[in-house]
Amino acid sequence: KNQGRLLIRCEDRPGIVSAVSTFLHKNNANIIESNQYSSDPENGTFFLRIEFHLDDLNDKRQELEQQFSEIATTYSMDYRFTYGSVRKKAAIFVSQEPHALVELLWEWQNGDLPMDIEVVISNHEIAREMVEALGIPYHYIPANKDIRKEVEAEQVRLMEQYDIDILILARYMQILTPEFVERFENRIINIHHSFLPAFIGARPYERAFHRGVKLIGATSHYVTNDLDEGPIIEQDIERVDHRNSIADLKKIGQQIERRVLARAVKWHLEDRVIVEGNKTIVFQ
Amino acid sequence: KNQGRLLIRCEDRPGIVSAVSTFLHKNNANIIESNQYSSDPENGTFFLRIEFHLDDLNDKRQELEQQFSEIATTYSMDYRFTYGSVRKKAAIFVSQEPHALVELLWEWQNGDLPMDIEVVISNHEIAREMVEALGIPYHYIPANKDIRKEVEAEQVRLMEQYDIDILILARYMQILTPEFVERFENRIINIHHSFLPAFIGARPYERAFHRGVKLIGATSHYVTNDLDEGPIIEQDIERVDHRNSIADLKKIGQQIERRVLARAVKWHLEDRVIVEGNKTIVFQ
Amino acid sequence: KNQGRLLIRCEDRPGIVSAVSTFLHKNNANIIESNQYSSDPENGTFFLRIEFHLDDLNDKRQELEQQFSEIATTYSMDYRFTYGSVRKKAAIFVSQEPHALVELLWEWQNGDLPMDIEVVISNHEIAREMVEALGIPYHYIPANKDIRKEVEAEQVRLMEQYDIDILILARYMQILTPEFVERFENRIINIHHSFLPAFIGARPYERAFHRGVKLIGATSHYVTNDLDEGPIIEQDIERVDHRNSIADLKKIGQQIERRVLARAVKWHLEDRVIVEGNKTIVFQ
Amino acid sequence: KNQGRLLIRCEDRPGIVSAVSTFLHKNNANIIESNQYSSDPENGTFFLRIEFHLDDLNDKRQELEQQFSEIATTYSMDYRFTYGSVRKKAAIFVSQEPHALVELLWEWQNGDLPMDIEVVISNHEIAREMVEALGIPYHYIPANKDIRKEVEAEQVRLMEQYDIDILILARYMQILTPEFVERFENRIINIHHSFLPAFIGARPYERAFHRGVKLIGATSHYVTNDLDEGPIIEQDIERVDHRNSIADLKKIGQQIERRVLARAVKWHLEDRVIVEGNKTIVFQ
């Protein structure tokens, strides 16, 4: 397509929107969608996401980027262009519970998740059949904490082989090492089965049951080296009550996990999510 | 304050954002919030709402507006400036059920609804005490369909006397004539006690009960001459079930009505609502 | 399993719960869950659903039912026993959009929908592969309004062949004749893609878009001969706004349709739904 | 009125419902609503709440209770009768933010909270006018951690003077001593301004802001001596995003706090809440 996106972060000061919109106008690009946010109009940080249309965009990319670098320098911008014609390459990691993977595969088949799923990696064999039926390579890599380094070396090798842009942890129940996480900063999306920061760590549904909460939730976030403390992309909840067993909470929770992860992945793929410190700006 | 808003509607074509943002930049106005929407990037209608800060804005208003008129002419813009220092003047109409009025009064006292409540008009005496306790004039105007013209003549007189900008029908149960409605086009906000377009007209809770719906709702909309068919500003719902009587639905519904009307009024006061045909654009 | 359910409807009068619970107690049945509802404690209709456990239930069914018939006669009860060991036999009808079918298949595979899916019937070939991959027969029956009688004759034949208890219309876009509907009274569950009674009939998302609603929904109901007017089992909604195109509404709506239909089917399978007039009692 | 409630907790074993319903039937009481829950049908704890109607109930209370004591002994029941004609006496504690108090006062005036508000106690003067306008005594008791004992001595004196059944902490920002809490076990209802167990303790909105959550909530719970760890009665949430400041979160949160506390109080007043360990059973 001839659709492009421009994402900008810089110190907020007068004239940024004027400079960027004038630049796009002069280059005959038509703004389709524009979102901006300033953490503070006085000396805060300014964020801008513009989606634009430009005829023959692929031929003009280099020139456009070159021209923009001047403006970027003037305003000390941290910026990036992305192009609708370039789909992101995804790897999905999964363990024993396939519900979140199933949702991603289905929405992807339905045309709702603009990515190429290059590979699925699992420490179990449970999802092999459904993944391979869609023509997606499935790599079984047994994992446990004693062989973490070897496992990750193999995973990194696959990420490189498939030139992966985004790693989706669709209920992958292994801890990742700091080395691994750093290598894919702000590119690993996890789904945690609680309303963070409640119930960080293991067995959140059991703990929600014993605490007697009246709502349970799920949280999708970028993975950092602080367990379940990374920047939150999306959260949602469902109502529960005293009649629900732990098994019920898990079933209800699966439905929440499915939709929360799928939304977060979709927004990431559309470059709507900007990480700022330990928080996200989501331009919807 | 030194805060202003610029609202624009025009045919979508390249260069609008560039022109407007460059104008504001040259006038030393700092953009605090900016929202835009195009009904169609090709030949659609373009809408823009900008909230800006400008030192000594009150002194510069005339000059700013004069200068902008050139751009407006170039792009054939329908536009309007509003100023944070000028609060809108509101009249609230109410009948027998005061819950929606109570919510407005409370949020207003709490500083959440930036308006001056100039007058409350009712065809009942029920809310007089609470209104007058806040120092707001209360006009009792008995009403029924046989004396509609006389009633409205008196109401129009009061609207003029108090120089009213916005009429809020907080469960006012009288039909307004086309003459009255036209006089205050897109300035009368009603709360209807159903999830429109379900249950248009009278007794929506009774009809919801008999239909056996599992959710009930409320809708805030601008009043037009098609009953309950005006542009919708906000809607919300609550879950109900077979155990709920009609009386229960009314109680539950009151809570929805309160918050839906208060939100719609707030967004209107902040110039976030733009009417386009029979729909609204709400820039949040 | 040794789990049974007893569903009762009768005129409300004192002593019913006492009689039924004493009967179960004397027969050594342990009440696991009990729900009751009276439309009016004075001369209303009383509804009771009891889930019980009884060792060797299958051997005792006949005796239990025989003994209960006396109480049923005394109180003029309309009642029915069902048994956890007897799974309901389902047929799923689908047209061109498979999302609701996909959800049902997935939840069924996951053990969340206690039914045997005997057959899937469609007027399109689109879902054949995924259905047959699960070992479920797929019958392609082209349909249009001119051949309705022939189509339904074939469908009825299949319903009899497979001894079907429940027909699920998972976005089946053909009108059924009164003869067909009557044959399966209160056993055909449909998903309608609007928040009924709003947008009855065709193209609800288009109409929701043009009306400018701020919430869209889906409704699962039993099919009657009044189009989209049958007893509602479940409804849900999602928030939308002016930025959403008709295509967006369809995508968002698919997610609602999926979960609303799956919930309604689950409750029907667990005998939690009682039809009373044109409404349902759902014992959760 | 002639309405009564019977609440029972005992070891689950066969025959309880039969015994209780037969008892009520023999005494000509008509069951209006009945809810039961068993933590485990085998050796679990059984809970029952029955709402019944009995002509001339006030004259028959003593006899009814006397007769029931036999059944209670047989099944080792922990039980209690309450009567619609006896309204609970409430004290409301509030500090500087009156929104939760305002909601309670309004719903109480509207007839939705069946209690007598005997007294409002505050360590600020802010709410005096609105409370006294309703004819409710207002006691200003300055408080800080250094004079906690004296403050509580005065508060206990007032609780005794007014014969208080339920203490509602409507954003009362002082810690209570273990002695005070124990004296009113399961009778002090607090509203905490977070989705517990997230953000236990002080400044939850600030912490929610800095954590970057996408939903904020409020929790109503019984007060125990573990801060914010008491049995949860009700919770609810609203969606927020990166644009919301801490001040916004507080405003949005106030709306959640208001409705969550009002619901919890209502259910407590209707004897729908049973505390079991650190959890609640809420019979709706």
Side-chain angles (χ1 to χ4, degrees):
Chain A
K1 293 174 191 170
N2 289 317
Q3 220 143 315
R5 292 169 200 144
L6 172 54
L7 289 116
I8 292 167
R9 177 208 319 255
C10 62
E11 202 184 308
D12 196 1
R13 53 174 164 134
I16 303 168
V17 175
S18 171
V20 174
S21 56
T22 302
F23 161 80
L24 288 170
H25 179 42
K26 281 190 181 152
N27 280 277
N28 300 310
N30 202 3
I31 297 174
I32 292 167
E33 190 183 331
S34 172
N35 286 286
Q36 61 190 78
Y37 170 69
S38 176
S39 64
D40 187 345
E42 313 227 357
N43 301 318
T45 306
F46 180 77
F47 303 88
L48 180 64
R49 178 191 184 275
I50 288 180
E51 203 158 323
F52 61 89
H53 177 276
L54 178 53
D55 288 338
D56 305 317
L57 177 57
N58 276 334
D59 300 343
K60 297 174 184 162
R61 281 165 54 170
Q62 208 178 343
E63 198 195 329
L64 199 72
E65 297 194 20
Q66 207 161 25
Q67 279 191 34
F68 188 74
S69 64
E70 266 184 60
I71 294 173
T73 305
T74 306
Y75 289 90
S76 304
M77 285 172 176
D78 180 15
Y79 75 102
R80 133 177 95 99
F81 282 87
T82 68
Y83 301 94
S85 57
V86 183
R87 286 161 71 92
K88 289 187 177 62
K89 293 179 180 174
I92 305 178
F93 286 48
V94 65
S95 289
Q96 284 189 83
E97 293 186 51
H99 56 279
L101 169 66
V102 166
E103 181 70 27
L104 293 174
L105 292 176
W106 161 247
E107 297 202 16
W108 172 73
Q109 285 177 275
N110 202 30
D112 299 337
L113 294 175
M115 61 180 169
D116 293 328
I117 304 179
E118 298 287 333
V119 61
V120 172
I121 292 172
S122 180
N123 54 336
H124 292 269
E125 286 285 14
I126 194 168
R128 179 183 291 277
E129 200 181 353
M130 77 174 92
V131 169
E132 291 185 343
L134 295 166
I136 300 167
Y138 188 89
H139 287 265
Y140 168 60
I141 309 178
N144 64 57
K145 63 177 162 41
D146 300 328
I147 56 169
R148 193 158 287 159
K149 291 217 159 166
E150 297 85 331
V151 167
E152 289 195 351
E154 174 66 4
Q155 289 169 342
V156 166
R157 200 189 58 71
L158 287 166
M159 296 305 98
E160 285 171 353
Q161 176 188 328
Y162 289 108
D163 194 17
I164 293 303
D165 297 304
I166 168 180
L167 278 79
I168 307 168
L169 307 186
R171 297 299 307 273
Y172 182 66
M173 307 310 282
Q174 296 287 317
I175 304 275
L176 304 172
T177 67
E179 293 71 36
F180 190 92
V181 169
E182 267 152 40
R183 187 184 276 264
F184 302 100
E185 196 189 6
N186 294 341
R187 291 191 290 151
I188 310 178
I189 296 179
N190 185 44
I191 179 72
H192 182 73
H193 39 317
S194 84
F195 178 101
L196 291 174
F199 308 120
I200 287 173
R203 302 192 168 276
Y205 292 127
E206 280 85 341
R207 288 150 66 204
F209 176 82
H210 291 298
R211 180 62 188 91
V213 294
K214 300 301 184 185
L215 304 169
I216 58 168
T219 304
S220 192
H221 62 95
Y222 289 109
V223 174
T224 62
N225 284 316
D226 293 313
L227 182 68
D228 300 332
E229 296 276 14
I232 293 171
I233 305 169
E234 171 66 342
Q235 305 187 285
D236 208 348
I237 58 100
E238 289 282 342
R239 208 160 260 283
V240 296
D241 68 28
H242 62 271
R243 294 169 297 188
N244 296 118
S245 64
I246 294 173
D248 292 339
L249 299 192
K250 283 182 184 172
K251 290 283 185 196
I252 295 164
Q254 285 187 351
Q255 298 281 359
I256 317 172
E257 295 165 36
R258 285 165 61 183
R259 64 176 185 258
V260 167
L261 179 60
R263 277 184 217 146
V265 167
K266 184 167 198 283
W267 297 337
H268 177 94
L269 295 173
E270 295 175 351
D271 301 311
R272 296 185 178 281
V273 189
I274 296 170
V275 176
E276 171 67 355
N278 201 44
K279 301 172 68 169
T280 65
I281 290 148
V282 181
F283 283 134
Q284 279 180 280
Chain B
K1 293 175 192 168
N2 289 316
Q3 220 143 316
R5 291 169 200 142
L6 172 52
L7 289 117
I8 292 167
R9 177 206 319 254
C10 63
E11 200 184 311
D12 195 2
R13 53 175 163 135
I16 302 168
V17 175
S18 170
V20 175
S21 56
T22 302
F23 162 80
L24 288 170
H25 179 43
K26 281 187 181 154
N27 280 278
N28 299 312
N30 201 3
I31 297 173
I32 292 166
E33 191 184 329
S34 173
N35 287 286
Q36 61 191 75
Y37 170 69
S38 177
S39 64
D40 187 344
E42 312 226 358
N43 301 318
T45 306
F46 180 77
F47 303 87
L48 180 63
R49 178 191 184 276
I50 289 180
E51 203 158 323
F52 61 88
H53 178 274
L54 179 54
D55 287 338
D56 306 316
L57 177 57
N58 276 334
D59 300 343
K60 297 176 184 160
R61 279 165 55 170
Q62 208 178 344
E63 199 195 325
L64 200 71
E65 297 195 18
Q66 208 160 22
Q67 280 191 34
F68 188 75
S69 65
E70 266 184 60
I71 294 173
T73 305
T74 307
Y75 288 90
S76 304
M77 285 172 177
D78 181 14
Y79 76 102
R80 136 176 92 100
F81 281 88
T82 68
Y83 301 94
S85 57
V86 183
R87 284 161 72 94
K88 290 187 176 63
K89 293 178 179 173
I92 304 178
F93 286 48
V94 67
S95 289
Q96 285 189 84
E97 294 185 52
H99 57 279
L101 170 65
V102 166
E103 180 71 26
L104 293 174
L105 293 176
W106 162 246
E107 297 203 15
W108 172 73
Q109 286 177 273
N110 202 31
D112 299 337
L113 295 174
M115 62 180 169
D116 293 328
I117 304 178
E118 298 286 334
V119 60
V120 172
I121 291 173
S122 180
N123 54 336
H124 292 270
E125 286 285 13
I126 194 168
R128 180 183 291 278
E129 200 180 353
M130 77 173 92
V131 169
E132 291 185 343
L134 295 166
I136 301 167
Y138 188 89
H139 287 264
Y140 168 60
I141 308 178
N144 64 57
K145 63 177 165 37
D146 300 328
I147 56 169
R148 192 159 287 158
K149 291 216 160 167
E150 296 85 331
V151 168
E152 288 195 351
E154 175 65 5
Q155 289 169 341
V156 166
R157 200 191 57 72
L158 287 166
M159 297 304 99
E160 285 172 352
Q161 175 187 329
Y162 289 108
D163 194 17
I164 293 302
D165 298 305
I166 166 178
L167 278 79
I168 306 168
L169 308 186
R171 297 297 308 271
Y172 182 67
M173 308 310 282
Q174 297 287 317
I175 304 275
L176 304 172
T177 67
E179 293 71 35
F180 190 92
V181 170
E182 267 152 40
R183 186 184 278 265
F184 302 100
E185 195 188 8
N186 294 342
R187 291 190 290 151
I188 311 177
I189 295 180
N190 185 43
I191 180 72
H192 182 73
H193 39 319
S194 83
F195 178 101
L196 291 173
F199 309 120
I200 286 173
R203 301 189 169 277
Y205 292 127
E206 280 85 340
R207 289 151 66 205
F209 176 81
H210 291 298
R211 179 61 188 92
V213 294
K214 301 300 186 186
L215 303 170
I216 59 168
T219 304
S220 192
H221 63 94
Y222 289 109
V223 174
T224 63
N225 284 315
D226 294 312
L227 183 67
D228 301 332
E229 297 276 15
I232 293 170
I233 305 168
E234 171 65 343
Q235 307 187 283
D236 208 347
I237 57 102
E238 288 282 343
R239 207 159 262 282
V240 297
D241 68 30
H242 62 271
R243 294 168 298 188
N244 296 118
S245 65
I246 294 173
D248 291 340
L249 299 192
K250 283 181 184 173
K251 290 282 184 196
I252 295 165
Q254 285 186 352
Q255 298 281 359
I256 317 173
E257 294 166 37
R258 287 164 61 183
R259 64 176 185 258
V260 167
L261 179 60
R263 276 184 217 147
V265 168
K266 185 168 199 281
W267 296 338
H268 177 95
L269 296 173
E270 295 175 350
D271 301 310
R272 296 186 178 280
V273 190
I274 296 170
V275 176
E276 171 68 354
N278 201 44
K279 301 171 69 168
T280 64
I281 291 147
V282 181
F283 283 133
Q284 281 178 279
Chain C
K1 294 175 192 169
N2 290 316
Q3 221 143 312
R5 292 171 199 141
L6 172 54
L7 289 115
I8 291 167
R9 176 205 321 252
C10 62
E11 201 184 309
D12 195 1
R13 53 175 164 135
I16 302 168
V17 175
S18 170
V20 174
S21 57
T22 302
F23 162 80
L24 287 170
H25 180 43
K26 280 189 182 153
N27 280 277
N28 299 312
N30 201 4
I31 298 173
I32 292 167
E33 190 184 330
S34 173
N35 286 285
Q36 60 191 77
Y37 169 69
S38 176
S39 64
D40 187 345
E42 312 227 358
N43 300 317
T45 305
F46 180 78
F47 303 86
L48 180 64
R49 177 189 184 277
I50 287 180
E51 203 157 323
F52 60 90
H53 177 276
L54 179 53
D55 288 338
D56 306 316
L57 177 56
N58 276 334
D59 301 341
K60 297 175 183 162
R61 280 165 56 169
Q62 209 178 344
E63 198 196 326
L64 199 72
E65 296 194 20
Q66 207 161 25
Q67 279 191 34
F68 188 74
S69 65
E70 267 186 58
I71 294 173
T73 305
T74 306
Y75 288 90
S76 304
M77 285 172 177
D78 180 14
Y79 74 102
R80 135 176 93 99
F81 280 88
T82 68
Y83 300 94
S85 57
V86 183
R87 285 160 73 93
K88 291 187 176 62
K89 294 176 180 176
I92 304 178
F93 286 49
V94 66
S95 289
Q96 284 190 84
E97 293 185 51
H99 56 278
L101 170 66
V102 166
E103 181 70 27
L104 293 174
L105 293 177
W106 162 247
E107 296 203 17
W108 173 74
Q109 285 176 275
N110 202 29
D112 299 335
L113 295 175
M115 61 181 170
D116 293 328
I117 304 179
E118 298 286 333
V119 61
V120 172
I121 291 172
S122 180
N123 54 337
H124 293 269
E125 286 286 13
I126 194 168
R128 180 182 290 278
E129 200 180 353
M130 77 174 91
V131 168
E132 290 185 343
L134 295 166
I136 300 167
Y138 188 88
H139 287 263
Y140 168 60
I141 309 178
N144 63 59
K145 64 177 164 34
D146 300 327
I147 55 169
R148 190 158 289 157
K149 290 219 158 162
E150 296 85 331
V151 168
E152 288 194 351
E154 174 64 6
Q155 289 170 341
V156 166
R157 199 189 58 70
L158 287 166
M159 297 304 98
E160 285 172 353
Q161 175 188 328
Y162 289 107
D163 194 17
I164 293 302
D165 297 304
I166 167 180
L167 278 79
I168 306 167
L169 308 186
R171 297 298 307 273
Y172 183 67
M173 307 310 283
Q174 297 287 317
I175 303 275
L176 303 172
T177 68
E179 292 72 34
F180 190 91
V181 170
E182 268 153 39
R183 187 184 276 265
F184 302 100
E185 196 188 8
N186 295 342
R187 291 189 291 150
I188 311 178
I189 296 179
N190 186 42
I191 180 73
H192 183 73
H193 39 319
S194 84
F195 178 100
L196 292 173
F199 309 119
I200 287 174
R203 302 191 168 278
Y205 292 127
E206 280 85 340
R207 289 152 64 205
F209 176 81
H210 291 298
R211 180 63 188 91
V213 294
K214 299 301 185 186
L215 303 170
I216 58 168
T219 304
S220 192
H221 63 94
Y222 289 109
V223 174
T224 64
N225 285 316
D226 294 312
L227 183 66
D228 301 331
E229 297 276 14
I232 293 171
I233 305 168
E234 172 65 343
Q235 306 187 284
D236 207 347
I237 57 99
E238 289 281 343
R239 206 159 263 280
V240 297
D241 68 29
H242 62 271
R243 294 168 299 188
N244 296 118
S245 65
I246 294 173
D248 291 339
L249 299 191
K250 284 182 184 172
K251 289 282 184 196
I252 295 165
Q254 285 187 353
Q255 299 281 358
I256 317 173
E257 295 166 36
R258 286 164 61 183
R259 64 176 185 258
V260 168
L261 179 60
R263 277 185 217 147
V265 168
K266 184 167 199 281
W267 296 337
H268 177 94
L269 295 174
E270 296 175 351
D271 301 310
R272 297 186 178 279
V273 190
I274 296 171
V275 176
E276 171 68 355
N278 202 44
K279 301 171 67 168
T280 64
I281 290 147
V282 182
F283 283 133
Q284 280 179 278
Chain D
K1 292 174 190 171
N2 289 317
Q3 221 143 315
R5 292 170 200 142
L6 172 53
L7 289 116
I8 292 167
R9 176 207 319 254
C10 63
E11 202 184 309
D12 195 1
R13 53 174 164 136
I16 302 168
V17 175
S18 171
V20 175
S21 57
T22 302
F23 162 80
L24 288 169
H25 179 43
K26 281 189 180 152
N27 280 278
N28 299 312
N30 201 3
I31 298 174
I32 292 166
E33 190 184 331
S34 173
N35 286 286
Q36 62 191 76
Y37 169 69
S38 177
S39 64
D40 186 346
E42 312 228 359
N43 301 317
T45 306
F46 180 78
F47 303 87
L48 181 64
R49 178 191 184 275
I50 288 180
E51 204 158 321
F52 60 89
H53 177 275
L54 179 54
D55 288 338
D56 305 317
L57 177 57
N58 277 333
D59 300 342
K60 297 175 185 162
R61 279 165 56 169
Q62 208 178 343
E63 198 195 328
L64 200 71
E65 297 195 20
Q66 208 160 24
Q67 279 191 35
F68 188 74
S69 65
E70 267 185 60
I71 294 172
T73 305
T74 307
Y75 289 90
S76 304
M77 286 172 177
D78 180 14
Y79 74 103
R80 130 177 97 100
F81 281 87
T82 68
Y83 300 94
S85 57
V86 183
R87 284 160 73 92
K88 289 187 177 63
K89 294 178 181 175
I92 304 178
F93 286 48
V94 67
S95 290
Q96 284 189 85
E97 295 186 50
H99 56 278
L101 170 66
V102 167
E103 180 71 27
L104 293 174
L105 293 176
W106 162 248
E107 297 202 16
W108 172 73
Q109 285 177 274
N110 202 30
D112 299 336
L113 294 175
M115 62 180 169
D116 293 328
I117 304 179
E118 298 288 332
V119 61
V120 172
I121 291 172
S122 181
N123 53 335
H124 293 268
E125 285 285 13
I126 194 168
R128 179 183 292 277
E129 200 180 352
M130 77 174 92
V131 168
E132 291 185 343
L134 296 165
I136 301 166
Y138 188 88
H139 287 265
Y140 168 60
I141 308 178
N144 63 59
K145 62 178 165 35
D146 299 328
I147 55 168
R148 192 157 286 156
K149 292 218 158 163
E150 297 84 332
V151 168
E152 288 195 350
E154 175 66 6
Q155 289 169 341
V156 166
R157 200 190 58 73
L158 287 166
M159 297 305 98
E160 284 171 354
Q161 175 188 328
Y162 289 108
D163 195 16
I164 294 302
D165 297 305
I166 167 180
L167 277 79
I168 306 168
L169 308 186
R171 296 298 306 272
Y172 182 66
M173 308 310 282
Q174 295 288 317
I175 303 276
L176 304 172
T177 66
E179 293 70 37
F180 190 92
V181 170
E182 267 152 40
R183 187 184 276 263
F184 302 101
E185 196 189 8
N186 295 340
R187 292 189 291 149
I188 311 177
I189 296 180
N190 185 43
I191 180 72
H192 182 74
H193 39 318
S194 84
F195 178 101
L196 291 175
F199 308 119
I200 288 174
R203 302 190 168 277
Y205 293 127
E206 280 85 340
R207 288 151 66 204
F209 176 82
H210 292 298
R211 180 62 189 93
V213 294
K214 300 300 185 186
L215 305 169
I216 58 168
T219 303
S220 192
H221 63 94
Y222 289 110
V223 174
T224 63
N225 284 316
D226 294 313
L227 182 68
D228 301 332
E229 297 276 16
I232 293 171
I233 305 170
E234 171 66 344
Q235 305 187 283
D236 208 347
I237 58 100
E238 289 282 343
R239 206 160 263 281
V240 296
D241 68 30
H242 62 271
R243 295 169 297 189
N244 297 118
S245 65
I246 294 173
D248 292 339
L249 300 192
K250 283 182 184 172
K251 288 283 183 197
I252 295 165
Q254 285 187 352
Q255 298 281 359
I256 317 173
E257 294 166 37
R258 286 164 60 183
R259 64 176 186 258
V260 167
L261 180 60
R263 277 185 216 146
V265 168
K266 185 168 200 280
W267 297 337
H268 177 94
L269 295 173
E270 296 175 351
D271 301 311
R272 296 186 178 279
V273 189
I274 296 170
V275 176
E276 171 67 355
N278 202 43
K279 301 171 68 169
T280 65
I281 290 148
V282 181
F283 283 134
Q284 280 179 277

